[in-house]
Amino acid sequence: MKDSKMENNIDMAINKEAHIYKAKRKVGSGWIMGFPLIIDNEWYIRSENDFRNYKIDVKTLCRCTVKRNVKNELIFEHDYIESMGTSLVMEICYGEYQAYCPVDDIWLPIIGFYAKAENYKDMPIGDLPEYALRLYNRFDKKGEENENSEQF
């Protein structure tokens, strides 16, 4: 009985994370995480921590992948990750990409999160806790969110 209650709590947390976004604040600095909304033609995020609405720069709005990296950090659209095994740096993207189906020996259009790397075909992101370290986000300034970044 206890295990099924714990599984329900995990499912609820994952469902919540599927609706979380992050964006840069218009007033103040840094990222705000929560749920996007529009009030009087202005974009806001309602913070998941204090339930206040924060004005955001909508160009920086990033979807949550519902996946975590090796440090248990949530991964968002436009985050750059590094494969711990190969040192390959990839950007997490959302949209349509081509995925290979070995059963039918064809490439199929898929909509969802994928990783993009220089000189590689777009690829599904897979199980990130197994291999990925989050470096930074496309919209970060030098040294802003994660000291692991060497890309700036």
Side-chain angles (χ1 to χ4, degrees), residues 62-144:
C62 303
R63 295 172 183 89
C64 181
T65 66
V66 190
K67 295 188 179 233
R68 294 177 179 270
N69 70 358
V70 295
K71 292 184 171 183
N72 203 33
E73 300 167 322
L74 279 173
I75 301 296
F76 287 83
E77 178 180 22
H78 303 302
D79 280 348
Y80 281 82
I81 60 171
E82 178 181 3
S83 170
M84 301 297 287
T86 64
S87 298
L88 180 65
V89 174
M90 301 165 271
E91 180 181 6
I92 301 299
C93 300
Y94 183 86
E96 185 175 307
Y97 68 101
Q98 297 291 312
Y100 180 70
C101 175
V103 173
D104 296 326
D105 192 29
I106 59 172
W107 289 89
L108 298 168
I110 305 290
I111 296 175
F113 289 102
Y114 63 96
K116 181 166 59 174
E118 196 171 316
N119 300 320
Y120 285 83
K121 288 187 182 273
D122 297 341
M123 57 199 110
I125 57 177
D127 197 11
L128 298 178
E130 299 287 322
Y131 73 89
L133 175 64
R134 185 191 171 287
L135 299 175
Y136 59 95
N137 187 281
R138 173 194 286 186
F139 304 110
D140 285 338
K141 294 184 178 128
K142 182 174 181 165
E144 188 171 39

Side-chain angles (χ1 to χ4, degrees), residues 44-62:
Y44 293 82
I45 281 190
R46 175 160 293 155
S47 170
E48 64 175 342
N49 295 327
D50 62 14
F51 301 105
R52 293 179 50 206
N53 297 330
Y54 295 87
K55 279 188 182 180
I56 60 166
D57 177 354
V58 70
K59 294 179 288 201
T60 67
L61 193 62
C62 303

